[in-house]
Amino acid sequence: MVIFKLYQALIMMRVSSLLLATFLFCSATATTLAQQPGGNFGRPGPTGPVESTNLGSIRGRVLTPDGRPTSEAVKITLEVMRGNQIVIYSDQQGQFEVKGLAPGAYLLEADASMLRLGIGTERVQVYRGTPAIATIYLKEKGGEERRMDGSPVISVGELDGKVPSKALKEFNRASDAMREGKNEEAVAFLQKAIAIYPDYLKAHNDLGTCLLALGKLDDAEKELRIAIGLDAKAFNPQLNLGIVLVNQQKFAEAAETLDKALALGARSPAARLYSGIAFTGLGNTARGEKDLKAAYEFGGAKFAVALFHLGQLYMNEGKNEEALEAFETYLREAPDANNLNQVRQFIAMLRRN
């Protein structure tokens, strides 16, 4: 089938950019969660260019106290330890990214008062040329624990009170390694955490995403299926397994898995993106088009890669005008994408027809 061959080549070519969804979720809770990030959802190193190799960035997610994605945009304040502040807003699912940050320590404060939840905070160390990953958990209103300096705090093991302290220690070491892009070290730490506590759902999920980042798809699939076995309603493992299955070109299984993820988070741009790829690979272009459009609608410029896939879909259907519009919009939204020459060639070819 032409579509299958095209997407087979496309997926192999875009694996690095399609990992964003995975890594946005890599250090998020797996027990009841919602990537990341996008085909670009992931993290073993930068998946998108930073403004300078001397600068860094922060990618992350804001989650409710029970580990679910937010349903509204959240105000996030970044405070450099010397006192300067930057204010940004997440998307509707709580995802955010800040580029062009000087290396150093930052305090992130997420304010979701419109959701009647308390403020969540997280401290992040930014390094040169690589994105730091942050997950901020909101608190129940009025239920914040306080540090000595008065700021709210939540432990990474709060969602599973049975996690032994030794397992949690290894998990935290893995999180630190992931922030530095040391995925092989993170894998070793996560394996130690799981050896101590085999039911550590978050560790299985994060191990799966890190193995995916290292290209070990079969091993990643195994870990993510274990995570789902521990909690079938956990969004993160469902999404990440769907990503793995897409990269394995198991489109039927991927579509089924991503449908389960969408039942838990219908407005997730990452789930919509990969679902669109999976259904298009199956030849269901109507569903593929719907999900790819939704990925861009919900995720905006961060998920502009959906427009690239949409343009490919339209080209295969002979819808040249629609394909041209998708590719031209992609160029505007992702001027630093690594496949610009290919897209420009498509545009030139479509304009000649």
Side-chain angles (χ1 to χ4, degrees):
M1 179 181 290
V2 175
I3 292 176
F4 178 87
K5 290 183 179 179
L6 175 59
Y7 271 81
Q8 181 180 20
L10 175 60
I11 289 166
M12 297 303 294
M13 178 181 65
R14 295 290 295 172
V15 164
S16 60
S17 67
L18 289 179
L19 288 174
L20 174 58
T22 303
F23 303 121
L24 281 179
F25 296 117
C26 190
S27 59
T29 176
T31 33
T32 52
L33 168 61
Q35 203 94 62
Q36 188 76 77
N40 295 342
F41 244 42
R43 173 179 205 295
T47 53
V50 292
E51 295 176 8
S52 166
T53 55
N54 292 322
L55 300 177
S57 63
I58 299 175
R59 293 175 182 160
R61 185 108 187 202
V62 181
L63 302 175
T64 62
D66 62 357
R68 294 187 179 278
T70 62
S71 58
E72 299 287 346
V74 176
K75 177 183 177 181
I76 302 169
T77 302
L78 286 76
E79 182 176 338
V80 187
M81 294 313 172
R82 60 179 176 268
N84 297 329
Q85 291 187 343
I86 302 171
V87 176
I88 62 169
Y89 286 85
S90 73
D91 65 15
Q92 297 279 333
Q93 292 287 311
Q95 297 177 47
F96 64 90
E97 180 176 13
V98 193
K99 295 183 179 180
L101 297 175
Y106 291 79
L107 175 65
L108 279 63
E109 180 180 277
D111 182 356
S113 54
M114 68 287 191
L115 297 175
R116 299 182 180 180
L117 292 172
I119 290 173
T121 64
E122 180 71 17
R123 295 184 187 278
V124 178
Q125 183 69 37
V126 172
Y127 299 94
R128 289 185 178 88
T130 184
I133 302 300
T135 303
I136 309 174
Y137 294 95
L138 299 169
K139 296 290 292 185
E140 296 291 350
K141 197 70 172 179
E144 295 89 349
E145 297 178 11
R146 298 278 171 178
R147 290 193 181 100
M148 292 295 290
D149 62 4
S151 60
V153 64
I154 184 170
S155 71
V156 294
E158 182 175 333
L159 296 179
D160 188 345
K162 298 179 181 179
V163 178
S165 59
K166 290 184 179 180
L168 180 57
K169 183 178 181 180
E170 298 297 336
F171 184 88
N172 287 337
R173 286 177 174 174
S175 297
D176 291 339
M178 286 187 285
R179 291 189 185 98
E180 297 176 12
K182 300 176 181 178
N183 290 285
E184 291 184 354
E185 290 185 19
V187 166
F189 288 131
L190 289 167
Q191 288 173 336
K192 290 179 181 178
I194 291 169
I196 297 168
Y197 183 47
D199 291 342
Y200 204 162
L201 192 151
K202 288 175 62 179
H204 283 293
N205 177 76
D206 286 14
L207 179 55
T209 59
C210 288
L211 289 168
L212 169 59
L214 294 170
K216 299 178 179 180
L217 300 183
D218 292 342
D219 292 337
E221 179 183 356
K222 176 183 175 181
E223 293 300 327
L224 293 166
R225 289 193 185 280
I226 292 173
I228 291 171
L230 292 169
D231 184 354
K233 293 184 178 180
F235 175 87
N236 237 18
Q238 296 283 7
L239 170 60
N240 291 329
L241 178 59
I243 294 170
V244 169
L245 293 169
V246 166
N247 280 277
Q248 292 174 322
Q249 300 170 30
K250 298 176 181 178
F251 295 123
E253 289 183 72
E256 181 180 354
T257 301
L258 290 163
D259 266 345
K260 293 176 182 177
L262 287 168
L264 299 167
R267 293 182 63 84
S268 166
R272 289 289 180 181
L273 172 64
Y274 285 102
S275 179
I277 296 171
F279 277 101
T280 303
L282 289 172
N284 187 343
T285 55
R287 173 65 186 273
E289 178 184 12
K290 175 184 176 181
D291 283 341
L292 291 171
K293 284 183 175 180
Y296 177 60
E297 177 185 352
F298 298 150
K302 293 179 183 178
F303 286 84
V305 68
L307 296 169
F308 177 70
H309 290 282
L310 197 58
Q312 293 275 16
L313 182 154
Y314 287 141
M315 283 181 64
N316 276 281
E317 292 193 316
K319 298 179 178 179
N320 292 352
E321 291 185 7
E322 289 89 341
L324 182 61
E325 181 181 358
F327 286 135
E328 289 178 339
T329 306
Y330 176 64
L331 285 184
R332 292 195 299 270
E333 292 281 42
D336 297 319
N338 59 12
N339 62 338
L340 295 187
N341 289 336
Q342 180 189 20
V343 176
R344 292 190 180 107
Q345 290 175 0
F346 286 152
I347 290 174
M349 179 180 67
L350 290 166
R351 285 175 175 168
R352 287 196 298 269
N353 292 339

